[in-house]
């Protein structure tokens, strides 16, 4: 089997264009609250979704728009939902962290780790009501320290559920470097529960596609649950307006805001503690430096990598189509919102 | 007295407590960034980064408190406490009772609460009713910087489990992270008197369970806390034009309740309106009604609360959370008039 790279890239471009539109609307103040984009996770979403069939289920986290777009949920109804319109996907009552599509058996949640047990339940129902169908859970590596998620790993194995756990490892849990609060290795952790575990470069869609094919295929055949650890970048920070990214994007303003209180803390009495405090200050500096290097030096955009597999002409055609689709949906949604 | 923001006042009190007593530590998700000034002062062993493992680190806080520390455990948003409820419901609040009063848990749980910025009801709940339902716990909900500092200090000094709730409309950094995100294109109905104000230096402890009269009045007593207190004050000003003199009491804690002040305000005015951003059923407002009833006080009673899951759309959210219009209408009905 070889992947249909054109189709994979088409889905990735749709996801990316859609989220760029979300960012634009959010910046204009038309979307309220937090906005966690899945920008950088498109290869993982597209590579996994390519193996899903009708009646397969998805349990999603707070970055749920790429999988929903990839699964064919109507873009206009998603946009209307984010703008709090009564004709939105959930009547304007759920918003971006709480998107539900009963038709597609897709549910998202803002509670970290909760997608894993939900997917186990979806898989349990599939086994009884829709044999041959599977459930997929998406979550980040930050969720891998949540008790309910680890309990779900065991549950899936103990009950031999047709479920695939997809861990999008972007190395950061909000402002915390995950490695600094995580023991051991997540792949071995998953294996120790008896899951068939795979590691993949989540910026390479063709590799995700191949890996997910194995995991989903096994689950569908009733040969047991799987775990995919896919590394990917967090290109827009934890959420739009991420204060750590703002340090790089508007350094002067942020330094003026954060600097003086930190200096006061450094120099507060007793002054004898100054050397130790300078070391503590280093912890903050190191976290920022690590984030900066990852973002501005090491970051690899999965879309650019996938585009490199296509001819220039094909790439452009796919991107134009995606842009057109998103623009049309946005125009209709904005007309509905403004006409209200 | 220096002026501080609500958030600065809390961290100021926490910092003073940490400087005075090395048993005081703080731990939770992202505290290295959220409490970066405390990290610089006290280091990573007392400002301790936790993984996203609420059930484990809150219960570890219980154990640490039993074994001599005075932990301030941060549950980023109170909604997330659901993941870790066992630590409070079956552990922290049971130790004193089960040990025959011989062992106690000086634990503070700090969490952001409340809505008004369009994040929907999985991140915007108050839950102080749910939490107050556990015997052996105090739940503090300050409405201004001075009380926030004073109550945080009392919480840390308290020998029993205390939940300290920090409303996100009052805490500028939470509102910026979760609502504004650096944008100029969105706005929020922030009660200025709650978000910024004078704080005594050094911070003065505010006794737990003591309400405070925020406004004198004759015709009706309105009880509120957190942001709801400010909504009461705003509505009271409008009611003035309707010829109604409203008394407003800041309960300051959902539990324990200040029976004395509630009874005196209620009996003097004969009309009680509880304004509560938490759910209407099985919570604070019902508890106030029960208290009045147990004392045999015959008063006209009404409540303005969250009647359903907080919806995402700002326009719907504004109606579900207690607002000036709903408070005024309820007060007018109680006083025999109409809006």
């Amino acid at each position: 089997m070889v992947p249909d790279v054109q189709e994979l890239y088409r889905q990735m471009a749709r996801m990316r264009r859609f989220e760029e539109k979300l960012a634009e609307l959010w910046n204009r103040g038309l979307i309220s609250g937090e906005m966690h984009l899945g920008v950088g996770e498109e290869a993982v979403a597209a590579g996994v979704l390519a193996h899903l069939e009708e009646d397969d289920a998805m349990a999603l986290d707070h970055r749920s728009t790429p999988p929903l777009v990839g699964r064919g949920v109507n873009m206009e109804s998603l946009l209307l939902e984010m703008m709090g319109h009564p004709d939105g996907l959930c009547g304007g009552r759920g918003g971006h962290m709480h998107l539900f599509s009963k038709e597609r058996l897709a549910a998202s949640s803002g509670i970290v780790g909760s997608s894993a047990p939900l997917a186990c339940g979806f898989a349990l129902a599939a086994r009884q009501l829709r044999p041959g169908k599977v459930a997929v859970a998406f979550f980040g590596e930050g969720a891998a320290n949540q008790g309910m998620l680890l309990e779900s790993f065991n549950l899936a194995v103990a009950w031999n559920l047709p479920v695939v756990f997809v861990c999008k490892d972007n190395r950061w849990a909000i402002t915390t470097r995950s490695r600094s609060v995580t023991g051991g290795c997540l792949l071995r952790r998953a294996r120790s529960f008896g899951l068939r575990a795979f590691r993949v470069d989540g910026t390479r869609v063709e590799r995700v596609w191949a890996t997910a094919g194995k995991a989903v295929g096994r689950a569908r055949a009733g040969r047991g649950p799987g775990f995919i650890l896919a590394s990917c970048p967090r290109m827009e920070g934890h959420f739009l307006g991420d204060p750590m990214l703002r340090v790089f994007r508007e350094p002067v303003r942020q330094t003026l805001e954060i600097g003086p209180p930190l200096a006061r803390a450094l120099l507060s009495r007793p002054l004898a503690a100054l050397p130790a405090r300078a070391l503590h200050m280093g912890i903050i500096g190191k976290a920022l430096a690590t984030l900066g290097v990852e973002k501005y030096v090491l970051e690899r955009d999965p879309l650019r990598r996938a585009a490199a597999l296509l001819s220039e002409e094909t790439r452009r055609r796919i991107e134009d189509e995606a842009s057109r689709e998103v623009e049309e949906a946005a125009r209709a949604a904005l007309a509905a919102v403004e006409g209200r | 007295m220096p002026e501080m923001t609500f958030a600065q006042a809390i961290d100021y009190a926490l910092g003073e407590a940490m400087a005075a007593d090395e048993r005081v530590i703080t731990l939770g998700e992202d505290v290295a960034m959220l409490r970066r000034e405390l990290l610089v002062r006290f280091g990573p062993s007392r400002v301790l980064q936790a993984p996203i493992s609420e059930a484990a680190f809150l219960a570890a806080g219980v154990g640490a408190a039993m074994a001599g520390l005075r932990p301030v455990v941060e549950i980023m948003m109170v909604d997330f406490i659901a993941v870790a409820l066992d630590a409070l419901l079956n552990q922290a609040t049971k130790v004193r009772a089960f040990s025959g009063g011989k062992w106690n848990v000086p634990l503070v749980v700090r969490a952001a609460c409340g809505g008004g910025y369009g994040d929907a009801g999985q991140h915007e709940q108050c839950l102080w009713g749910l939490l107050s339902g556990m015997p052996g716990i105090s739940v503090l909900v300050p409405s201004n910087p001075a009380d926030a500092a004073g109550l945080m200090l009392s919480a840390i000094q308290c020998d029993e489990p205390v939940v300290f709730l920090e409303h996100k409309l009052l805490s500028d950094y939470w509102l910026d992270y979760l609502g504004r995100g650096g944008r100029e294109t969105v706005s929020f109905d922030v009660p200025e008197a709650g978000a910024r104000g004078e704080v005594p230096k050094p911070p003065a402890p505010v006794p737990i369970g003591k309400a405070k009269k925020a406004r004198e009045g004759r015709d009706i007593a309105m009880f509120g806390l957190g942001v709801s207190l400010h909504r009461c004050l705003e509505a009271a000003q409008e009611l003035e034009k309707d010829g109604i003199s409203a008394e407003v009491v800041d309960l300051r804690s959902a539990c324990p309740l200040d029976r004395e002040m509630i009874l005196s305000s209620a009996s003097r005015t004969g009309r009680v309106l509880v304004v509560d951003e938490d759910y209407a059923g099985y919570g604070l407002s019902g508890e106030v009604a029960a208290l009045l009833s147990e004392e045999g006080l015959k008063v006209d009673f009404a409540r303005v609360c969250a009647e359903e899951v907080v919806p995402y759309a700002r326009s719907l959210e504004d109606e579900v959370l207690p607002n000036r219009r709903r408070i005024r209408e309820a007060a007018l009905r109680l006083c025999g008039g109409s809006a």
Side-chain angles (χ1 to χ4, degrees):
Chain A
M1 287 274 282
V2 283
D4 180 348
V5 178
Q6 279 196 31
E7 173 58 16
L8 289 171
Y9 188 68
R10 192 178 76 82
Q11 291 297 354
M12 292 170 72
R14 293 176 70 243
M15 296 169 190
R16 177 67 60 89
R17 289 288 170 273
F18 185 77
E19 290 208 315
E20 283 168 353
K21 183 56 73 179
L22 285 183
E24 180 196 318
L25 297 174
W26 183 87
N27 276 310
R28 285 168 63 186
L30 295 169
I31 295 176
S32 69
E34 297 165 80
M35 178 50 74
H36 314 84
L37 296 183
V39 171
E41 298 182 353
E42 295 92 344
V44 182
V48 172
L49 262 59
H51 299 284
L52 298 189
E53 303 171 352
E54 197 172 339
D55 286 342
D56 285 342
M58 298 195 302
L60 306 168
D61 63 4
H62 53 293
R63 302 186 199 282
S64 63
T65 38
L68 290 171
V69 166
R71 209 57 181 132
V73 173
N74 181 275
M75 283 188 181
E76 187 187 334
S77 80
L78 279 168
L79 289 171
L80 285 171
E81 180 62 26
M82 312 274 188
M83 290 192 280
H85 192 275
D87 295 339
L89 181 68
C90 308
R93 291 179 167 267
H96 106 278
M97 274 189 282
H98 323 102
L99 296 166
F100 292 83
S101 171
K102 191 176 175 186
E103 295 72 32
R104 314 261 171 193
L105 281 173
S108 55
S109 170
I111 301 299
V112 172
S114 63
S115 61
L118 200 67
C120 287
F122 286 166
L124 188 65
R127 196 169 62 191
Q128 195 157 326
L129 304 175
R130 293 175 283 275
K133 301 302 173 188
V134 301
V136 178
F138 286 97
F139 51 87
E141 88 294 340
N145 292 318
Q146 188 68 285
M148 63 175 131
L149 188 130
L150 299 174
E151 292 170 26
S152 301
F153 284 4
N154 181 58
L155 205 61
V157 173
W159 291 351
N160 193 37
L161 294 172
V163 60
V164 177
F165 301 107
V166 181
C167 180
K168 304 165 293 175
D169 180 7
N170 62 27
R171 295 178 293 277
W172 289 90
I174 312 189
T175 71
T176 303
R177 182 98 175 135
S178 290
R179 198 186 294 156
S180 72
V181 290
T182 304
C185 152
L186 294 186
L187 202 70
R188 283 204 294 273
R189 197 184 277 188
R191 281 194 184 128
S192 75
F193 280 98
L195 288 167
R196 180 66 69 90
F198 307 85
R199 183 198 294 277
V200 68
D201 179 347
T203 64
R204 305 232 182 234
V205 68
E206 71 286 5
R207 297 188 194 170
V208 177
W209 179 88
T211 303
K214 289 182 218 163
V216 173
R218 288 185 80 253
R220 202 180 291 291
R223 289 192 285 125
F227 172 81
I228 299 172
L229 182 62
S231 56
C232 57
R234 195 176 73 170
M235 295 172 67
E236 282 298 328
H238 172 66
F239 43 33
L240 289 178
D242 185 323
M244 274 175 95
L245 275 186
R246 269 192 249 165
V247 171
F248 296 96
R249 288 175 173 173
E250 36 183 40
V252 177
R253 195 167 142 190
Q254 286 299 309
T255 306
L256 287 176
E257 210 164 285
I258 296 168
L262 274 180
R264 275 197 296 279
L266 186 70
L267 298 171
S268 66
R269 280 167 217 277
L271 278 174
L274 196 60
R277 289 197 194 126
L279 280 177
H280 305 154
M281 193 84 116
I283 298 170
I284 299 166
K286 191 179 159 205
L288 282 171
T290 308
L291 186 87
V293 169
E294 278 186 8
K295 169 88 195 127
Y296 296 102
V297 182
L298 302 173
E299 187 171 280
R300 297 289 175 266
D301 182 345
L303 261 83
R304 292 182 67 171
R305 290 195 145 171
L309 305 172
L310 301 168
S311 73
E312 178 65 17
E313 191 197 334
T314 309
R315 178 187 70 78
R316 200 163 284 171
R317 176 178 51 78
I318 291 173
E319 284 172 9
D320 288 346
E321 275 172 22
S323 299
R324 229 180 356 258
E325 185 189 2
V326 171
E327 283 306 327
E328 274 169 27
R331 206 170 313 132
L334 280 167
V337 168
E338 277 151 15
R340 181 162 52 166
Chain B
M1 281 201 290
E3 202 180 81
M4 293 186 197
T5 65
F6 189 82
Q8 282 167 345
I10 301 169
D11 283 359
Y12 169 57
L14 179 55
E16 293 294 296
M18 290 180 79
D21 184 349
E22 65 179 16
R23 295 173 305 166
V24 182
I25 64 164
T26 188
L27 63 93
E29 293 151 7
D30 294 300
V31 289
M33 286 295 159
L34 290 172
R35 312 292 159 233
R36 52 188 174 265
E37 287 131 38
L38 297 176
L39 173 72
V40 167
R41 279 174 73 187
F42 303 108
S45 56
R46 292 181 68 198
V47 180
L48 188 61
Q49 285 273 68
I52 304 176
S53 310
E54 288 95 350
F57 71 73
L58 182 53
V62 176
M66 291 172 71
L69 291 178
R70 290 190 166 255
V72 177
V73 177
E74 288 210 31
I75 298 288
M76 194 170 273
M77 268 160 261
V78 73
D79 317 71
F80 307 164
I81 212 166
V83 171
L85 210 54
D86 181 72
L88 290 183
L89 182 63
N90 285 321
Q91 314 304 332
T93 54
K94 297 294 188 281
V95 172
R96 180 179 279 280
F98 286 165
S99 70
K102 291 176 185 159
W103 211 347
N104 60 313
V105 184
L107 169 77
V108 180
V109 181
R110 172 185 183 175
C113 73
Y117 60 96
D119 228 1
Q122 208 178 53
H123 284 66
E124 289 200 328
Q125 296 170 98
C126 292
L127 302 185
W128 48 66
L130 179 91
L131 296 167
S132 296
M134 306 176 204
I137 208 165
S138 299
V139 183
L140 316 182
V141 191
S143 69
N144 61 72
D147 283 353
L151 286 171
M152 175 49 88
L153 213 53
S154 297
I156 294 168
Q157 288 163 1
C158 181
D159 288 333
E160 306 300 332
V162 177
V163 178
F164 180 99
L165 296 174
E166 170 180 0
H167 201 293
K168 281 166 275 170
L169 273 198
L170 302 179
S171 264
D172 54 354
Y173 68 107
W174 279 127
L175 190 57
D176 181 42
Y177 293 171
L178 307 174
R180 189 170 281 116
R183 292 177 287 179
E184 311 280 342
T185 47
V186 283
S187 59
F188 311 98
D189 191 359
V190 174
E192 286 308 323
R196 177 175 276 281
E198 290 186 336
V199 177
K201 200 168 181 176
V206 169
I208 291 173
K210 284 274 170 245
K212 191 173 74 179
K213 199 169 289 181
R215 189 183 200 274
E216 297 274 356
R218 294 178 314 275
D219 302 325
I220 180 171
M222 304 204 284
F223 298 116
L225 76 186
V227 163
S228 296
L229 182 270
H230 297 283
R231 299 293 178 246
C232 286
L233 289 168
E234 292 157 10
Q237 281 206 324
E238 292 180 13
L239 286 164
E240 194 80 62
K241 292 174 214 149
D242 298 310
I244 290 170
S245 157
E247 179 150 310
V248 177
V249 173
D250 186 352
L251 293 173
R252 301 205 280 195
S253 53
C255 173
L257 286 174
D258 187 341
R259 295 180 79 91
E260 218 169 289
M261 185 169 290
I262 291 173
L263 287 172
S264 94
S265 286
S267 58
R268 201 151 22 74
T269 56
R271 298 184 189 94
V272 168
L273 179 63
V274 182
V275 180
D276 183 8
E277 195 182 324
D278 200 3
Y279 300 123
Y282 308 91
L284 173 63
S285 55
E287 197 56 36
V288 171
L291 185 157
L292 298 171
S293 177
E294 280 167 357
E295 295 292 334
L297 213 62
K298 298 271 184 289
V299 295
D300 294 324
F301 178 91
R303 53 184 167 179
V304 173
C305 310
E307 304 279 348
E308 56 173 300
V309 172
V310 182
Y312 162 76
R314 288 290 299 275
S315 55
L316 300 175
E317 178 193 30
D318 285 347
E319 280 308 299
V320 168
L321 302 180
N323 60 34
R324 282 179 289 274
R325 183 188 56 75
R326 283 173 64 203
I327 298 169
R328 175 170 166 266
E329 284 173 7
L332 286 173
R333 272 196 303 276
L334 272 184
C335 294
S338 63

